[in-house]
Amino acid sequence: MERRTRRQILDYTHSLCSYDFHKKILSFYRMRIGIVDFSKRTKNNDSLQEALQILGHDIFVVHHSDDWYNIVKSSHIKHWIMTGSAYDVFSSKSPQIDTRIEDLNKKLFLLICYSMESFLLKKGYDLKRRERTKEAFMLNSNGRHIIAWRNHNTFISTDSLQSRIRLLASYKNEIMTASYKNIMMTQWHPERTNDGIVFLSKWLS
């Protein structure tokens, strides 16, 4: 992935957003964002951390091997992002999302890829497997076509969606973006494209 400067991202968001929204992005600099890292090994300055830093935010990272739920619960940080992972979401040995996050009403969560799969699996959804897809693709998000990036072999069909989950975007009959209570979920990686970083900045606002 081409390395992006903070100025390039700001120029890009300014070209897509209204002047008022652009000022709003700037006003949120130095906000502290929490990350729960579900990778097998702790990552320093990966693409998600870089994207948040490009947007001007401080980050606080907790690894899934820590007592992350209680750390999140007791933290003053409002926005928390749960990362993707190379773990097998079906394995009993793999770390999983604690569904009690939906009851932390004063916090907002973004579940990316593996984290979304884990949450929906624990909520009783039927996850399916297929050959791994690793690609940039065009996603219709909130009435606008954006370039998104995905890397997964597990998915949730739109046919299995229950009314309590709000579908926001789909691709080839697979759920790509959905929301539930205080939780936003993406089966794609916003940190990997310019459009995705705009998505991140809007979620944070």
Side-chain angles (χ1 to χ4, degrees):
M1 183 181 65
E2 183 180 351
R3 189 174 183 85
R4 299 150 301 203
T5 67
R6 174 176 165 179
R7 183 71 260 166
Q8 287 173 325
I9 295 300
L10 291 178
D11 288 344
Y12 184 76
T13 56
H14 184 55
S15 69
L16 294 177
C17 310
S18 69
Y19 178 68
D20 287 341
F21 177 71
H22 186 63
K23 287 197 299 183
K24 197 172 186 179
I25 291 175
L26 294 173
S27 71
F28 273 84
Y29 278 171
R30 310 311 298 176
M31 189 161 65
R32 201 170 198 209
I33 311 300
I35 297 175
V36 180
D37 183 3
F38 277 85
S39 62
K40 293 185 175 182
R41 296 179 182 85
T42 303
K43 295 181 179 180
N44 294 318
N45 202 31
D46 65 2
S47 55
L48 175 59
Q49 295 177 35
E50 179 189 1
L52 292 171
Q53 290 167 344
I54 284 171
L55 290 172
H57 301 301
D58 292 327
I59 56 174
F60 174 72
V61 182
V62 180
H63 195 252
H64 69 77
S65 58
D66 300 321
D67 184 16
W68 68 264
Y69 173 79
N70 285 314
I71 293 173
V72 170
K73 182 180 179 181
S74 62
S75 171
H76 294 296
I77 297 174
K78 179 180 179 180
H79 293 83
W80 285 88
I81 301 175
M82 278 56 170
T83 72
S85 178
Y87 281 109
D88 178 359
V89 73
F90 292 106
S91 173
S92 60
K93 298 180 180 179
S94 296
Q96 302 291 343
I97 293 293
D98 191 322
T99 58
R100 289 179 296 172
I101 63 172
E102 68 182 75
D103 298 321
L104 300 178
N105 298 321
K106 293 184 179 180
K107 300 187 185 297
L108 297 174
F109 296 93
L110 173 61
L111 310 186
I112 297 176
C113 200
Y114 176 90
S115 296
M116 170 182 171
E117 296 165 4
S118 173
F119 180 80
L120 291 180
L121 181 65
K122 295 189 73 174
K123 296 295 287 185
Y125 275 79
D126 180 27
L127 271 66
K128 299 179 181 179
R129 285 194 191 276
R130 54 163 170 68
E131 290 187 10
R132 178 167 295 278
T133 301
K134 187 175 182 179
E135 64 176 1
F137 67 104
M138 194 68 71
L139 178 65
N140 188 339
S141 177
N142 198 27
R144 189 173 67 83
H145 286 90
I146 67 171
I147 297 175
W149 191 89
R150 61 178 181 159
N151 177 17
H152 60 99
N153 64 347
T154 308
F155 70 97
I156 304 97
S157 170
T158 54
D159 297 334
S160 67
L161 190 68
Q162 301 170 18
S163 59
R164 57 184 176 165
I165 305 284
R166 182 186 176 196
L167 178 65
L168 299 176
S170 63
Y171 183 72
K172 296 182 177 179
N173 296 319
E174 297 179 15
I175 297 173
M176 286 291 114
T177 311
S179 64
Y180 172 69
K181 293 186 176 180
N182 57 337
I183 301 168
M184 180 72 71
M185 297 172 279
T186 63
Q187 188 66 83
W188 52 285
H189 291 260
E191 73 276 12
R192 296 298 300 269
T193 67
N194 286 342
D195 286 333
I197 292 178
V198 173
F199 176 92
L200 277 175
S201 68
K202 289 182 177 180
W203 176 73
L204 290 168
S205 66

